[in-house]
Amino acid sequence: MSDEVNEEETDEEETEDDEEEEATAEVQEAAPGPNAEATQVVSEGTQAVVLKLKQDQTPAQKLELKLDYVKTNALKMALRITKALGSEDVTCKYDGNLHIRQMNSSRTTLIDAVIDMGAGLEKLEQPSAPQRTFTVNIGGFLRFLKDSQPQLNIDQADMIIVDKRYNGTVTATLPLLEDSDETIPDPKMPLGISASLNLDEIMTGLRRLSEEPESLNFIAENGSLTIKGGNSQMQKIEFSQLKTDMTSANGQAGYALPLLKALGKATYKISYATDMPMKAIHVITTTEYEGTKSVDKRVGIITVWMAPRILQE
């Protein structure tokens, strides 16, 4: 529409101008996003592209998240594990807390992580809180989270990460990807053997071998847990006298070493049963001081399920 308007404009021209303004306003309100599809609207020779959401979709709400040092580290740990388990992209859900729940491409692992964003971990579901789902590339997200206290601004199409430094502000933009609509049910199976496992100690012990084993075998017997492994050079390693929580439960199962290494150097509460998936839980905590007393506060919970492998002695 021309910037110059004749002072003696007819009623018909004013009507056409109003229609064009309405079409322009509709384009501005429907910002493009991963769930949008384009249709064309032609009115009196003027063509406008209107972005209409797919059926049953509503415009995604803008989301602003401010992360402190502790929350940033908890989120980075969850992202590193998700990537190490074999995923390139991650879908996050915000409902007062930040959730990650997805399987890897080979369908051998499931990660379910929740980071406390202020709602508290005592009540994980907050129906009244704004719901927002967004998907990004994990590698790019991790690079953008190098700063200790970033602010995440998620709109229709991008994640804008702002880092305020002492000498200025750094702003980076990461494009959003199409959200995954996969529904993953909770695994339900009896896992009678449980133990606390320091993976850092296990991985340090494996360095004694000139070649890493492909998998580790977990054997629970008479209240004690033994972990065994061997490589192609006939070298063997054994971690013994590891106490379990279920003294009467016996059983054994094997798990791929790359999946165990993906959990990182942390302490996990593991549960498993003979030839059944392993459930590994790590609780991320921070220490807060109330007067002279120190209190451990939960910041995040990471739960990983991994499929078993055929035992090899």
Side-chain angles (χ1 to χ4, degrees), residues 245-256:
D245 296 337
M246 304 291 288
T247 57
S248 61
N250 298 327
Q252 55 182 332
Y255 302 95

Side-chain angles (χ1 to χ4, degrees), residues 98-114:
L98 197 61
H99 300 260
I100 296 173
R101 182 180 176 85
Q102 64 187 62
M103 301 185 74
N104 63 359
S105 57
S106 61
R107 320 299 288 180
T108 55
T109 63
L110 164 65
I111 182 170
D112 187 348
V114 55

Side-chain angles (χ1 to χ4, degrees), residues 118-131:
L121 298 182
E122 299 303 324
K123 185 179 180 182
L124 298 183
E125 294 297 331
Q126 300 244 338
S128 61
Q131 300 289 318

Side-chain angles (χ1 to χ4, degrees), residues 82-103:
T82 304
K83 183 175 176 62
L85 290 174
S87 296
E88 294 297 326
D89 306 323
V90 63
T91 296
C92 302
K93 174 186 176 183
Y94 175 78
D95 64 354
N97 292 316
L98 197 61
H99 300 260
I100 296 173
R101 182 180 176 85
Q102 64 187 62
M103 301 185 74

